[in-house]
Amino acid sequence: MRFYVRRITFYVITLWAAVSLNFLLPKLMPGDPKQIFIDKFVRKGGELTPAMQNSIDLLFGGDDDATLWDQYLSYWGKILQGDLGISITYYPKPVVELIGAALPWTLGLVGLATIISFILGIVGGAWVGWKRGTWVDHVIPASTLLQALPYFWLALILVSVFSVSLGWFPIIGAYDIFSFDNGPEWSWEFVGSVVYHGTLPALTIIISAVGGWLLGMRNMMVSTLSEDYVTTAEAKGLRPMRVATTYATRNAVLPSIAGFGVTLGFVVAGSVVMEQVFSYPGLGKLLLTSVQSNDFALMQGTFLVITVSVLAANFLMELIYGFIDPRTRNNG
């Protein structure tokens, strides 16, 4: 019980610090960031409506005479109400609406691809580690090469070969916008289009990520197989498959589970480069657009969602880790 209380306290404090930093960032800009933002917005042809003024007040503080503490409390109040402001890039759309539209695409593509790469890497790494010293070890150099491949390079190669040269897959988009000009819909045809358009982006993530999981699991498997309890299990005459799964793999996978928690948290951020190459409408592309356009409201909202998702994923994986390995709870 003490372990869980300490972990909950730690993550609550971390969340408070992250939100506070998110509040302070626009105020730490040189000059008068509020007036600079308003001038830029007007130059772009925007209309300073009450809704937009509220969005600006959320970013930089509404009342110039209000203390920083009052602005801070107001910021927390609006966040708790789900008000993250209005985007200057996609004016007059609220930031919450933009994030809500982009988040399912990122979770569906990047999340599923990350889970697939983790499973393939863990299973493959456990098998290679169990068969250490045989021809199977030749997989290691290939996995190291895969781990070293940059996302953007692999994405461009896949597009060049399978989209441009062979024409097997589309180059951009999450679905066929010409067949579904009214937007997403619940139909098998639409699901098929999403899977078809998401194949190359998913392959980019899986190929780039599976090598790291495989190599890490293989090394942990080799280390675990030298432990006394594994040697004792083999001496008792237990079936090799039981030794490999119950005694070796179960213990070797623990560090990978901890690493998977961190990776799963960053799923929400998506792969910024991958989504940019394929023009995929996920959160990563939305974040890049906000940075390029100096859209502070959208930038802050995206950072906030990413921060919360990373903390939530790590907290969940710590709970799972503590359940799998009781020693963690005792040491916590």
Side-chain angles (χ1 to χ4, degrees), residues 7 15 70 78 87 91 108 125 199 234 236 245 254 269 301 305 310:
R7 301 321 296 166
L15 178 61
D70 291 334
K78 291 181 179 180
S87 169
Y91 181 81
T199 300
E234 292 175 333
K236 287 182 178 180
T245 55
L254 292 177
V305 172
V310 171

Side-chain angles (χ1 to χ4, degrees), residues 56-271:
I56 296 174
D57 293 342
L58 176 63
L59 283 172
F60 303 103
D63 188 357
D64 295 333
D65 297 328
T67 64
L68 187 64
W69 175 250
D70 291 334
Q71 296 176 20
Y72 179 67
L73 294 179
S74 176
Y75 178 77
W76 266 103
K78 291 181 179 180
I79 285 182
L80 294 176
Q81 295 173 10
D83 183 5
L84 299 179
I86 296 177
S87 169
I88 186 176
T89 307
Y90 301 95
Y91 181 81
K93 289 187 176 180
V95 171
V96 172
E97 180 180 331
L98 293 170
I99 294 177
L103 191 58
W105 293 106
T106 294
L107 292 178
L109 174 66
V110 185
L112 185 60
T114 301
I115 293 174
I116 292 175
S117 65
F118 175 76
I119 294 175
L120 291 177
I122 294 302
V123 173
W127 180 59
V128 174
W130 179 252
K131 297 291 184 180
R132 64 198 183 284
T134 65
W135 64 270
V136 181
D137 263 341
H138 291 91
V139 176
I140 300 304
S143 66
T144 305
L145 175 63
L146 293 176
Q147 186 181 11
L149 290 178
Y151 269 105
F152 70 90
W153 183 85
L154 181 59
L156 293 174
I157 291 297
L158 292 178
V159 169
S160 176
V161 174
F162 295 102
S163 296
V164 178
S165 299
L166 299 176
W168 290 356
F169 295 99
I171 299 178
I172 61 174
Y175 59 92
D176 188 356
I177 59 175
F178 298 104
S179 300
F180 305 95
D181 50 1
N182 292 326
E185 62 180 46
W186 292 105
S187 66
W188 288 112
E189 290 79 10
F190 179 76
V191 172
S193 180
V194 170
V195 172
Y196 179 54
H197 281 70
T199 300
L200 286 187
L203 280 177
T204 301
I205 298 172
I206 293 173
I207 294 175
S208 298
V210 70
W213 294 119
L214 191 148
L215 184 62
M217 183 61 186
R218 184 264 179 194
N219 293 338
M220 284 304 304
M221 190 73 173
V222 171
S223 176
T224 304
L225 287 172
S226 63
E227 296 290 341
D228 293 338
Y229 58 83
V230 176
T231 304
T232 302
E234 292 175 333
K236 287 182 178 180
L238 298 178
R239 290 180 293 117
M241 183 57 65
R242 183 180 179 186
V243 175
T245 55
T246 305
Y247 290 86
T249 303
R250 182 179 178 181
N251 291 280
V253 78
L254 292 177
S256 296
I257 291 178
F260 181 66
V262 178
T263 304
L264 198 62
F266 282 103
V267 161
V268 175
S271 173

Side-chain angles (χ1 to χ4, degrees), residues 22-39:
N22 209 30
F23 163 76
L24 290 173
L25 281 178
K27 302 181 181 303
L28 297 177
M29 295 174 58
D32 187 355
K34 182 175 182 179
Q35 190 59 46
I36 294 173
F37 184 85
I38 293 175
D39 293 341

